[in-house]
Amino acid sequence: MSAAPRRKPGRPPGVSGTRDAILAAARAEFAANGYDRATIRGIARSAGVDPALVHHYFGTKTDVFAAAVQYPVRPTDVVELLTTTGPEELGMTLASLFVRIGDDPEGQASVLAIVRSAVAQDEAAAMFREFISRAVLSVIAPRLPFPEREARARLELAVSHMVGLTLMRHVMRIEPVASMPADELVARVGPVLQHYFDPDPDSRAAPTPVGTRGE
Amino acid sequence: MSAAPRRKPGRPPGVSGTRDAILAAARAEFAANGYDRATIRGIARSAGVDPALVHHYFGTKTDVFAAAVQYPVRPTDVVELLTTTGPEELGMTLASLFVRIGDDPEGQASVLAIVRSAVAQDEAAAMFREFISRAVLSVIAPRLPFPEREARARLELAVSHMVGLTLMRHVMRIEPVASMPADELVARVGPVLQHYFDPDPDSRAAPTPVGTRGE
């Protein structure tokens, strides 16, 4: 397998051809079987490569999925970022992560593609549901100082705000948020998001976990 | 509240026929001219009715627009609800308004139709931008105890959360938010939203307006 792909005009270089074949196979496999039932093995088989090569190029199944839908960041990196962030910094970290993704032209295109396909087709929505649920919430929630359902609820509510923010800023493009400097936006949103992660929230609602620290 | 139309099988009743003609004309007018430049007069003309009849059936231009896109509530009612709500109750009021709209099957269908058309076409996004900006933010913002831009920013951020919540709950249908009881959801979200309307927010960011009180 060659290292840096040297472009030969008129013919796709080997590495990039193999990567593209894997991504095409991944898209087909996820579309046919959904996120949960798709396997690296199945993707490798239909791309005609060894499963180890899929891992080598993309990482975990989650990362293959993200690459296949052109998600702008590797989920593995996001999970690492969030699980190494103290609960008291999660609001700012999530806000700046999503604002950065949305403000990046590629990131923005991919977030829009995701929302567009999710609102257009039930299968796409189901795929993202499984993906977010298994690959994001289930990985991060156990690191938070709350019982599992409580942690998932708080994370999901925070993420929902960031998804809506991306829509208002980049799709609807409603002022003043549409052209608000990223720093100002993060500084406004982060501290509000943080309330979802307060161990003893001042909210009247989000119940403090009592004796329910479940597995 | 207008009288309920009596259905005559096999033939559309007059009132409903006229209403439908007005709505069809309104959709065409808004699509052709955008929200700002569309007029009640133009809609009436192309529906072949008197402008007063358009007002009679639907109310203001804003309300005609909302009816044309099958928005589930009359903006006039929403504006009245929000402008008669004290700033200290805005978080709970907005949360329960949006959860109620999203949980209603018709409301949900219409929110999805709006997001779907906005992500699919630039013109639709522009139309909703004008609508939300003129008909919602511009009307409510002046009633809040902040300078205009500050009030708009806070309102828009709060609304962005509610739009994202509707997507996660009803499109992506991600648990536990997807099947969380409405009361619990409102009780969790309302107090967090409220931080956007605190006169002296504990956020490090949202600057307290100093010496900038409107023109």
Side-chain angles (χ1 to χ4, degrees), chain A residues 19-20 22-27 30 35 43 54 57-76 106 110 114 128 131:
Chain A
R19 287 177 56 100
D20 289 350
I22 293 171
L23 289 179
R27 280 184 207 107
F30 285 120
Y35 178 78
I43 291 167
V54 178
Y57 281 143
F58 297 102
T60 64
K61 180 169 103 172
T62 304
D63 296 324
V64 176
F65 178 81
V69 300
Q70 303 187 287
Y71 199 68
V73 288
R74 289 212 326 165
T76 300
E106 277 185 40
S110 108
I114 288 170
F128 289 109
F131 169 67

Side-chain angles (χ1 to χ4, degrees), chain B residues 67-82:
Chain B
V69 301
Q70 303 188 287
Y71 199 70
V73 288
R74 288 213 327 165
T76 300
D77 298 338
V78 172
V79 166
E80 185 177 330
L81 172 68
L82 295 180

Side-chain angles (χ1 to χ4, degrees), chain A residues 73 81 93 95-105 107-108 182 186:
Chain A
V73 288
L81 172 68
T93 304
S96 78
L97 176 69
F98 274 88
V99 169
R100 187 157 49 79
I101 291 174
D103 284 4
D104 172 76
Q108 191 181 311
V186 171

Side-chain angles (χ1 to χ4, degrees), chain A residues 116 119 156 172-174 187 205, chain B residues 116 119 129 156 174 187 205:
Chain A
R116 195 171 285 139
V119 295
E156 189 183 347
M172 304 285 200
R173 291 199 290 276
I174 294 171
Chain B
R116 196 171 285 139
V119 295
R129 172 165 59 248
E156 187 182 349
I174 293 172

Side-chain angles (χ1 to χ4, degrees), chain B residues 5 11 76 80 82 117 142 144 150 193 203 209:
Chain B
R11 186 178 296 189
T76 300
E80 185 177 330
L82 295 180
S117 67
L144 297 182
E150 183 63 27
L193 273 195
S203 100

